[in-house]
Amino acid sequence: MLKKITLLFLWVSTSVVGQCYNGFQIGDYHVVSIKSNGSLWGWGSSDIGQLSNTNFINPTPFQIGTSTDWLKVSVGDYNTFIIKSNGTLWAMGKGSYGLLGNGSTNQSNPSLQQIGTATNWQKISASNEMTIGIRTDGTIWGWGQNDEYEMGNNTCCANQLTPIQIGTANHWVDVETSLGASVFALKNDGTIWGWGLNLAGLLADNTVMARSVPTQLNSDTDWASIHVGAAHILALKTNGTLWSWGGGEYGQTGDGLSPSLYRSYPRQVGTDTWSKVFAGWKVSFGIKPDGTLWAWGLNDVGQLGIGNTTNQFTPVQVGTDTDWVDVVSGGAGNDQFTIATKSDGTVWAWGDNQGGQYGNGTVGNPVYVPTLMTGLCATLSTDEFQQENVFTMYPNPAKDVVTLQYDLAVANATVAIFDVTGRLIHEGALNSVTGTNELNVSAYPAGVYLVL
């Protein structure tokens, strides 16, 4: 029987939103983002080069370099990784253990530098011990410390100073690293896998034995996304339900169970559905489909944004607003801070600000409820959708290879493929304004996909 793959097209243009930020990526004390014109910006602390200088405090956003072809950014605690529209990978900041993948273990690297020569990087997840990346061909790669089998290739314990492929599988679609030495990844069949250190039951079994190669954590095939904190995991299923496991001593797993419980397998968090979640250092945040923002976990310095310092063992609503669309949290201990975005493009922050992480020119003076950050704005997809006859695709339905013919009238465009659950399957740059591009769909299960 012929396998049928059907693709639906939606053209998204960001030219109408001005020079706002396309989301925020945050480390321990620094924030990095790409503006809608492709330029790279940062603020906060850069003491070992994570923002291309060695200033401890950078309280206002500044442009990093002059390039305007940046596509995607990811940060570790003290380093920054950026992918250009041509698929090349660049990095700066902390390079201990080989974290940057540049062949060196120098701690401070304030110069933005290309990592290797590959031109097909899709996503990077950086920890304080290792870095893991996925390429557009579905392969997964690692570099950095390898004392707990972080490289997933059954070897220990020398540092890996340049990217090395992990296994031979070529259908990885998402990856997240813990703040320790554990790695978690999703395949395009909805299964979740893990390797490395098994701290606090993160690898979802009843032992603490490290896993030396990627190991499937359970038999479920409906995982949609994973979000990893210091030692706990939040995972969304395709039906929008939220599950958690790992360390829950401060309530960060949100299940209301005993703080001392060894959570070695996923448990559902309540019965509601969620549109977005984020796991930070012993804290968790989530946004429900109704636009409400919720928080749970450690709250000793008011980092949950609920106006008090009481730890929360189940999700509690942050304020009463119903227009939240994104939330990210960084830092550790009493240095935690959060940045969240509303549907009107406004940006809000709370928590620590000793490195100028708010990006509004202030230093210190933290706040413990969401506070508007004047001067910052975020791009929003709800106002960007424009249906245009810019694509021709054939054949459709398809079996193996689909050809895109496009005439975009804009440069630096990207093409992304999502399944019906909203999970990103593939993303790549279109390196010309007009041309053709082949998409290999032979490994996709039968179904309908959205091409954005």
Side-chain angles (χ1 to χ4, degrees), residues 129-130 132 145-152 166 181 183 195-196:
E129 295 183 353
M130 75 291 190
I132 308 295
Q145 196 167 18
N146 193 34
D147 59 338
E148 294 286 352
Y149 298 100
E150 294 97 317
M151 295 302 100
I166 298 173
V183 185
W195 61 95

Side-chain angles (χ1 to χ4, degrees), residues 221-244:
T221 60
D222 57 349
W223 296 109
S225 64
I226 48 176
H227 312 270
V228 184
H232 78 288
I233 290 180
L234 303 177
L236 287 174
K237 289 199 170 186
T238 56
N239 62 3
T241 57
L242 176 60
W243 301 71
S244 69

Side-chain angles (χ1 to χ4, degrees), residues 90-101:
W90 300 69
M92 55 190 169
K94 182 180 178 181
S96 306
Y97 316 118
L99 280 170
L100 292 190

Side-chain angles (χ1 to χ4, degrees), residues 311-347:
N311 298 340
Q312 301 295 323
F313 289 83
T314 56
V316 59
Q317 187 172 352
V318 179
T320 59
D321 293 342
T322 59
D323 54 352
W324 298 102
V325 295
D326 197 16
V327 59
V328 290
S329 179
N334 59 5
D335 298 328
Q336 294 183 79
F337 68 105
T338 300
I339 296 178
T341 304
K342 288 187 175 183
S343 59
D344 59 1
T346 55
V347 179

Side-chain angles (χ1 to χ4, degrees), residues 138-301:
T139 58
I140 197 165
W141 299 68
W143 56 97
Q145 196 167 18
N146 193 34
D147 59 338
E148 294 286 352
Y149 298 100
E150 294 97 317
M151 295 302 100
N153 57 8
N154 203 29
T155 64
C156 180
C157 294
N159 296 336
Q160 179 63 40
L161 305 186
T162 57
I164 184 174
Q165 187 173 350
I166 298 173
T168 59
N170 62 357
H171 48 293
W172 300 102
V173 295
D174 196 11
V175 63
E176 285 268 330
T177 55
S178 75
L179 296 185
S182 306
V183 185
F184 303 87
L186 289 180
K187 290 186 176 180
N188 65 359
D189 58 3
T191 57
I192 187 169
W193 300 67
W195 61 95
L197 183 66
N198 192 17
L199 179 67
L202 278 176
L203 296 184
D205 62 21
N206 291 317
T207 76
V208 293
M209 183 176 64
R211 296 290 180 263
S212 60
V213 296
T215 304
Q216 188 171 344
L217 301 192
N218 55 53
S219 60
D220 294 351
T221 60
D222 57 349
W223 296 109
S225 64
I226 48 176
H227 312 270
V228 184
H232 78 288
I233 290 180
L234 303 177
L236 287 174
K237 289 199 170 186
T238 56
N239 62 3
T241 57
L242 176 60
W243 301 71
S244 69
W245 64 95
E249 66 273 29
Y250 297 104
Q252 61 267 41
T253 48
D255 50 28
L257 300 175
S258 169
S260 62
L261 179 66
Y262 188 88
R263 295 162 170 83
S264 59
Y265 63 88
R267 289 177 169 85
Q268 187 172 350
V269 180
T271 58
D272 292 337
T273 59
W274 301 80
S275 58
K276 183 172 296 233
V277 294
F278 187 92
W281 195 85
K282 303 185 186 301
V283 298
S284 299
F285 293 89
I287 298 174
K288 291 184 179 180
D290 62 3
T292 56
L293 175 63
W294 299 72
W296 58 100
L298 182 64
N299 196 34
D300 57 339
V301 292

